Amino acid sequence: MNEDTHLRVLRLVEQNPGISQRDMARELGVSLGKANYCLRALLEKGWVKARNFKNNDNKLQYAYLLTPSGIENKTRLTANYLQAKMAEYERLRVEIEQLKEEVVASGHDAS
Amino acid sequence: MNEDTHLRVLRLVEQNPGISQRDMARELGVSLGKANYCLRALLEKGWVKARNFKNNDNKLQYAYLLTPSGIENKTRLTANYLQAKMAEYERLRVEIEQLKEEVVASGHDAS
DNA sequence: TTGTTGCGTTCATTGATTGAACGCATGGAT
DNA sequence: ATCCATGCGTTCAATCAATGAACGCAACAA
């Protein structure tokens, strides 16, 4: 499972603890199976806890809450993610610059 | 098969018609099987022609050449690609901006 | 001649992902 | 009280892209 997906799930859960796995999947643009798999991984790690939403001994309709460890790791993942995105941004800048030259050059050839 | 991969293959072939599928795969960071599959798709479309490199009736060691249609489509794909990358660049700019705010905010909370 | 290298090709295997189907709880309608 | 529809988390067979080991073949050097 992807760390980026983990981060996105942590974000969704923090912002809306009552979110269902189906809505989570829709929001992430992945299948229900994957959302479930990812969420279970986070539960396994202890980054997220599931609390019963309505009755106290029913099984379904959870509220998902970030644990302190989950908050900590979300911060860490966010920092990593930001750094990666900034590197990607720079890489993209250079690539676009080169592509523009290339397009202009082939335009000259064609004229 | 991905259009981006097609474009990258067209680029490689144009710049080095004598390239082998193995080097192509290495350059693209994909498997030999995928490079082969992709190249065959381009041959099928008539964007690339394979010419025998050494002997005229041997089967292997081709030179891959862009056809006029291949050149045309490479230009088109490049333009599309550039446009997509520019949109992605802008999207990334916004995302990074938001992430920075988020990181700063959580930093304030933690201090 | 013989062994090695490099070529394109093939295809069984892998691994991630999907989404239909399941059992269960809930809540509204009859 | 009974029924039905809805929504929940869970499961898992099926799918599909991707892999890379293995093949036959040509070329070349020893």
Side-chain angles (χ1 to χ4, degrees), chain A residues 6-7 10 13-14 41-49 65-78:
Chain A
H6 279 176
L7 177 55
L10 291 175
V13 165
E14 182 177 56
L42 296 179
L43 291 166
E44 190 80 18
K45 290 189 184 187
W47 295 5
V48 170
K49 284 283 181 201
L65 301 173
L66 263 60
T67 64
S69 159
I71 291 170
E72 203 173 286
N73 280 288
K74 174 178 168 286
T75 302
R76 181 180 57 78
L77 288 182
T78 301

Side-chain angles (χ1 to χ4, degrees), chain A residues 6-45:
Chain A
H6 279 176
L7 177 55
R8 295 182 66 199
V9 169
L10 291 175
R11 255 203 267 277
L12 282 178
V13 165
E14 182 177 56
Q15 143 188 4
N16 177 15
I19 192 172
S20 71
Q21 292 181 14
R22 278 174 176 78
D23 284 345
M24 210 180 279
R26 213 165 295 132
E27 206 80 41
L28 297 173
V30 302
S31 68
L32 174 59
K34 181 170 177 177
N36 178 265
Y37 182 70
C38 183
L39 190 56
R40 294 172 88 79
L42 296 179
L43 291 166
E44 190 80 18
K45 290 189 184 187

Side-chain angles (χ1 to χ4, degrees), chain B residues 50-66:
Chain B
R51 294 184 102 81
N52 298 343
F53 196 50
K54 306 240 166 147
N55 299 16
N56 52 354
D57 53 2
N58 284 342
K59 288 288 173 288
L60 299 187
Q61 183 80 349
Y62 295 117
Y64 302 107
L65 301 172
L66 265 60

Side-chain angles (χ1 to χ4, degrees), chain B residues 1-38:
Chain B
M1 182 59 58
N2 197 326
E3 274 211 336
D4 284 5
T5 309
H6 279 179
L7 177 55
R8 295 181 67 200
V9 168
L10 291 175
R11 257 203 266 278
L12 282 178
V13 164
E14 182 177 56
Q15 140 187 7
N16 177 15
I19 193 172
S20 72
Q21 292 181 15
R22 277 173 176 78
D23 283 345
M24 211 180 278
R26 213 165 293 130
E27 205 81 40
L28 297 172
V30 302
S31 68
L32 175 57
K34 180 170 178 178
N36 178 266
Y37 182 69
C38 183

